[in-house]
Amino acid sequence: MNDDKIIRKNPLFEFYVENEHLVITNEDYVKDNCVVNLNSISHLELIRSLSFFDKIIEVIIGFWQDSKSDVLRINFKNGFKDIVLTNCDIKKTELIIYKINRLILEQENNTKPI
């Protein structure tokens, strides 16, 4: 099993690109599982969710704190889908999102006429 696509081990959560499709596997919440063609995706983004109390601490003290749940937003060309990332490795998630967005941009640049 390739560890660079796993962002949470127990229960398993992984997402990666395979054969120009985005594959998402979430054993915790089966409704999140999907296989999506990269051509239908505009871009991916990570939405960091801090509680109100965490935001006050961040503003007053300047102490940045990791949030408990973040949201992976898949922006399609005709809508979006939000997937909650609870207790996931956010650094690894950010890296995967960056790589996938780069693939989407490369694919769009190669298919658009000049």
Side-chain angles (χ1 to χ4, degrees), residues 14-62:
E14 61 183 357
F15 72 104
Y16 55 95
V17 174
E18 184 175 82
N19 298 328
E20 296 186 14
H21 287 79
L22 175 65
V23 179
I24 298 174
T25 306
N26 185 358
E27 290 182 357
D28 194 27
Y29 194 62
V30 179
K31 287 180 111 179
D32 289 343
N33 295 344
C34 62
V35 177
V36 182
N37 191 333
L38 284 181
N39 290 330
S40 64
I41 300 174
S42 172
H43 66 281
L44 302 177
E45 62 184 305
L46 181 66
I47 301 171
R48 306 208 40 106
S49 307
L50 294 173
S51 69
F52 182 70
F53 181 69
D54 292 336
K55 288 180 184 178
I56 291 173
I57 290 174
E58 183 178 1
V59 170
I60 294 175
I61 302 174

Side-chain angles (χ1 to χ4, degrees), residues 2 8 16 22 30 37 41 44 49 52 66-67 83 94-95 101 104:
N2 195 353
R8 184 181 65 209
Y16 55 95
L22 175 65
V30 179
N37 191 333
I41 300 174
L44 302 177
S49 307
F52 182 70
D66 285 337
S67 57
I83 298 174
E94 289 173 338
L95 183 63
N101 282 333
I104 292 169

Side-chain angles (χ1 to χ4, degrees), residues 12-13 17 37 40 58-59 67 74 79-80 84 87 99 101 109 111 114:
L12 180 68
F13 190 114
V17 174
N37 191 333
S40 64
E58 183 178 1
V59 170
S67 57
I74 304 171
F80 66 91
V84 177
N87 297 324
K99 289 178 180 178
N101 282 333
N109 289 337
T111 58
I114 297 175

